[in-house]
Amino acid sequence: MLKMVALGDGAVGKTSCIMRYTQNNFGESYKATIGTNIAVKDVDIELQPGEPSTAQVVLWDLAGQPTYKDLRSRYMVGSSIAFLVYDVTRPPTFLNVASWYDSFIKVAPDAIVTLVANKVDRDDRVVPPEAGEMVSRWLNIEYIETSAKTGENVEKMFTKCVESAIRKEEKRLGNK
Ligand code: G3D
Ligand code: MG
């Protein structure tokens, strides 16, 4: 069982990505929820070609934007995976990526992190793919472009994250 947390500024689409993935819908009235939402999902993975299996993932989604560092760390602790979302139509959400990354990796140094450029369906996009790719190279993490609205790459993002985390864990156990 793996813990996966959603990171990123408010309204970038964290909850929408999770809803798209777990319930295949978009734009429902789930946004008003206060607190931490937790969803359990069986993720279909293929660690070796032709060898499908499933992993149970517990998805943590923090509603609102707590300013208390303490609360954020407690939310992040014990995670194997984080997906760090920004909104390609709002540059400030992209500029905050490094700060989210730093605070997460302090708490979960062995976790897998994926950088997610969301809302790519919108025609008022201003953060280009090159910017996201560059930051992901600097941080040495994966990069993927998604739209929770159309569903583009959403399932792929979750599957890849989980496969990477399991591979990393297997490697770690193997090297013991
Ligand atoms: P958060 O959980 O990161 O705070 P939400 O963000 O999932 O609540 O989404 C914030 C707003 O962005 C919502 O709009 C939601 O519908 C919209 N949104 C999320 N993902 C996408 C996307 O991929 N494409 C588009 N076009 N919009 C998206 P409202 O207006 O309902 O607040
Ligand atoms: Mg949310």
Side-chain angles (χ1 to χ4, degrees):
M1 200 132 89
L2 297 164
K3 176 176 175 180
M4 180 171 187
V5 287
L7 307 179
D9 285 359
V12 294
K14 300 178 296 295
T15 305
S16 299
C17 283
I18 291 174
M19 295 308 285
R20 167 61 71 195
Y21 182 57
T22 58
Q23 304 183 15
N24 201 24
N25 68 21
F26 176 78
E28 302 293 312
S29 56
Y30 51 81
K31 273 164 260 157
T33 326
I34 309 277
T36 307
N37 290 313
I38 296 178
V40 181
K41 172 90 180 166
D42 287 327
V43 181
D44 295 321
I45 52 169
E46 204 174 85
L47 292 174
Q48 307 287 342
E51 279 181 35
S53 59
T54 56
Q56 202 168 58
V57 176
V58 184
L59 281 162
W60 290 53
D61 180 23
L62 196 59
Q65 296 304 313
T67 45
Y68 294 109
K69 284 217 169 82
D70 189 41
L71 182 62
R72 283 194 188 181
S73 324
R74 263 190 284 166
Y75 161 74
M76 294 171 184
V77 79
S79 306
S80 305
I81 310 165
F83 68 106
L84 203 180
V85 187
Y86 65 93
D87 175 348
V88 295
T89 71
R90 287 188 295 137
T93 69
F94 174 66
L95 295 177
N96 283 334
V97 161
S99 146
W100 278 106
Y101 179 81
D102 287 345
S103 46
F104 177 70
I105 219 69
K106 264 185 215 144
V107 174
D110 294 322
I112 291 284
V113 182
T114 293
L115 183 60
V116 179
N118 189 44
K119 306 196 189 181
V120 296
D121 60 277
R122 280 179 54 165
D123 52 18
D124 55 345
R125 175 176 188 161
V126 283
V127 184
E130 292 76 18
E133 283 161 6
M134 184 177 71
V135 167
S136 72
R137 272 199 303 277
W138 284 344
L139 298 176
N140 195 24
I141 61 180
E142 293 290 322
Y143 171 76
I144 193 162
E145 305 208 330
T146 60
S147 165
K149 187 175 181 180
T150 66
E152 181 184 344
N153 275 344
V154 172
E155 180 163 359
K156 188 174 171 191
M157 183 271 284
F158 283 99
T159 307
K160 292 250 171 243
C161 282
V162 172
E163 286 175 353
S164 302
I166 292 177
R167 285 210 184 89
K168 187 169 182 179
E169 181 72 3
E170 282 183 341
K171 217 171 173 179
R172 196 180 66 81
L173 294 172
N175 290 343
K176 260 190 178 170

